[in-house]
Amino acid sequence: MSAKITYVDGCTFSTVELQQFHNYYKFDWQAVDLDNATFSERIDYFTSKVDQTIDSGRLREWLRTMGIVDERDKSEEARRYERFEQYDYGSAPGFNQLLGDVYKGNDVNKHAIDERMERAKAKYYGQHVEPLDYDEYKRFKEENVPKAVCPYQHLWENDGADKEAAQMDKFTNVKTIDIGAVLGKDGLLTTSAMNGILDLIREAHDERYYAAAMVNSRSSIDSEAHAAEFLPMLSVSGSNVEEVLRIGAQVQIELRRLNKAKPLMIFADGTVDPSTAGILLSTVDIVLSERFAVKAGPGNASSQAFPLAALYDWAHLSEHHQAKTPAGAAEYILCNPSLVLHSSEWMGLGLASGFVGQRKYAAAVERIMLAASCPPPHTRDALRKACVVEAFED
């Protein structure tokens, strides 16, 4: 291995140094009670307790190269722009009134939408928080772009992995239908849990909500892909089959009624049991993660009764569903009893509006929720454009 990395122009750090610096960057400061420590305190701790072979001067040089500087070294201008970027616009009173202009027009150009969103944030921030000139902000950002001389910069720059779960409660104009909040200890959709979902759907009709979003807070915090379950199976026993199937069908009906009244978004981050797959057919405004999978075939139902409503949905998929799925899709699904559909297949059937990788999923959910806060009559259009933009970015 060479002492210097020469295939990236301008890089003066050895491979050993870059590995050391990467370890510093990814170090868990919270585990050693230094998450609120100063820049110098962290460097002193790391070079004395974790890796004594590291050169603190070279580490500081690398950090400056990456655009990471001590808070005390930042100018007031830099601090102001950081406050602007980190401001919580999702819960800012009145900011959603500016979203109509962000998603106006027929184009779904990511760059154009991002710029309009940034301008809207600058306008709001300058009017309600502290003075800020958008053109001056852009000039400052262009003049202070970190020089990318590190060949491993992509490992930590904009990795989007800092959010474990989206913060749904700050979007006060969007009703969250949280499946995880109504599930019992067994994790199954019991009649009690389904009644809880119905109550949330009824609340979503309130005029203060511009849209509704179905999530499962339990699946979003589960880091194991194989364990993440978005829609669990219906809890059916010999004595309550008829009641469970009735209420299961009622949930689907009420979701479709809600989706006619206002946009219904489903963030499907996990697996879906065949007994509840029909719920997904309530809307095509669905964002999938890589953990998504539907055991679509009736043969996957195990000992649970496969709802007649879901079978009806599959049988009439091409004819009635808003997705306009290809002819023969329903027959293919019904004739493959052990079929499992993953994100790409579900997208191919036209049954979802976007896919976002797991690393960026929580952040994407928050940006889509912000778009769903756009007041009527622009809500549904803004939400769908945001889905396209977030899916395109990944």
Side-chain angles (χ1 to χ4, degrees):
M1 183 180 293
S2 63
K4 299 285 184 180
I5 296 178
T6 57
Y7 58 85
V8 175
D9 183 37
C11 183
T12 62
F13 303 109
S14 71
T15 54
V16 173
E17 286 179 318
L18 290 170
Q19 183 60 56
Q20 290 175 322
F21 302 158
H22 177 63
N23 292 339
Y24 169 87
Y25 186 87
K26 291 296 184 181
F27 188 74
D28 185 3
W29 300 108
Q30 188 173 5
V32 293
D33 295 326
L34 289 176
D35 46 321
N36 294 318
T38 65
F39 191 82
S40 296
E41 287 172 342
R42 287 187 176 185
I43 291 179
D44 290 343
Y45 179 88
F46 194 85
T47 55
S48 63
K49 303 290 187 182
V50 181
D51 186 352
Q52 298 180 8
T53 66
I54 196 170
D55 185 325
S56 61
R58 293 282 285 170
L59 174 58
R60 288 177 182 273
E61 181 184 346
W62 175 79
L63 289 170
R64 285 193 295 270
T65 299
M66 296 297 294
I68 305 169
V69 298
D70 192 339
E71 189 67 29
R72 292 169 297 184
D73 294 336
K74 293 178 181 176
S75 65
E76 176 53 36
E77 188 179 27
R79 291 191 181 97
R80 181 171 70 254
Y81 292 145
E82 279 193 1
R83 292 193 295 270
F84 159 64
E85 292 171 345
Q86 296 169 5
Y87 188 76
D88 184 4
Y89 297 92
S91 57
F95 175 72
N96 61 333
Q97 299 297 321
L98 302 176
L99 295 176
D101 290 335
V102 173
Y103 294 100
K104 66 182 178 182
N106 297 321
D107 66 312
V108 190
N109 180 285
K110 174 174 169 52
H111 176 75
I113 290 177
D114 283 350
E115 183 177 352
R116 291 198 295 266
M117 177 66 79
E118 197 172 58
R119 285 186 177 277
K121 289 180 177 179
K123 178 180 179 181
Y124 182 91
Y125 191 87
Q127 291 177 347
H128 299 278
V129 184
E130 60 179 320
L132 186 138
D133 182 274
Y134 180 72
D135 292 332
E136 287 297 309
Y137 164 74
K138 292 298 288 184
R139 177 197 58 76
F140 177 86
K141 296 296 288 186
E142 290 171 1
E143 292 177 356
N144 292 273
V145 175
K147 185 179 180 181
V149 299
C150 176
Y152 302 141
Q153 185 166 343
H154 67 282
L155 293 175
W156 46 75
E157 186 182 56
N158 300 323
D159 64 3
D162 54 339
K163 283 184 175 292
E164 294 183 358
Q167 298 178 22
M168 308 294 287
D169 55 352
K170 67 182 180 181
F171 301 99
T172 55
N173 294 116
V174 183
K175 177 61 181 177
T176 299
I177 302 172
D178 185 1
I179 299 165
V182 300
L183 293 177
K185 292 182 179 180
D186 58 2
L188 300 179
L189 276 172
T190 61
T191 53
S192 175
M194 298 291 272
N195 277 316
I197 293 175
L198 286 173
D199 289 340
L200 294 174
I201 295 172
R202 295 186 186 103
E203 292 174 15
H205 280 280
D206 192 292
E207 63 181 10
R208 71 178 183 272
Y209 298 121
Y210 303 152
M214 176 174 282
V215 300
N216 187 331
S217 56
R218 294 193 185 185
S219 69
S220 64
I221 61 176
D222 195 331
S223 60
E224 296 295 331
H226 67 274
E229 195 171 43
F230 177 69
L231 281 172
M233 67 173 63
L234 292 175
S235 180
V236 178
S237 63
S239 59
N240 73 339
V241 171
E242 185 175 340
E243 172 63 15
V244 171
L245 295 182
R246 182 194 65 78
I247 196 169
Q250 186 178 355
V251 166
Q252 291 187 47
I253 292 170
E254 293 303 323
L255 283 172
R256 295 178 190 206
R257 285 177 178 168
L258 176 63
N259 193 34
K260 286 185 177 180
K262 60 187 64 178
L264 168 64
M265 193 77 210
I266 296 180
F267 296 103
D269 181 21
T271 61
V272 175
D273 187 82
S275 63
T276 50
I279 291 177
L280 290 178
L281 300 177
S282 304
T283 178
V284 293
D285 294 319
I286 303 175
V287 173
L288 310 175
S289 78
E290 59 206 52
R291 303 194 294 184
F292 173 84
V294 179
K295 298 177 180 179
N300 288 312
S302 302
S303 61
Q304 302 293 325
F306 194 86
L308 295 178
L311 285 173
Y312 180 87
D313 285 332
W314 290 127
H316 296 80
L317 193 60
S318 302
E319 181 180 354
H320 296 304
H321 196 266
Q322 53 187 318
K324 308 296 183 184
T325 56
E331 290 81 358
Y332 176 76
I333 292 170
L334 292 172
C335 292
N336 286 269
S338 299
L339 181 66
V340 177
L341 297 175
H342 295 278
S343 300
S344 57
E345 291 91 356
W346 200 258
M347 289 284 293
L349 289 171
L351 298 175
S353 54
F355 167 87
V356 179
Q358 201 62 45
R359 245 177 357 104
K360 300 181 179 179
Y361 197 78
V365 168
E366 289 195 4
R367 288 191 287 268
I368 294 170
M369 287 287 286
L370 181 60
S373 302
C374 180
H378 308 293
T379 313
R380 197 181 298 270
D381 185 52
L383 186 151
R384 288 180 172 172
K385 286 179 179 176
C387 288
V388 172
V389 167
E390 294 304 320
F392 172 79
E393 181 181 29
D394 200 76

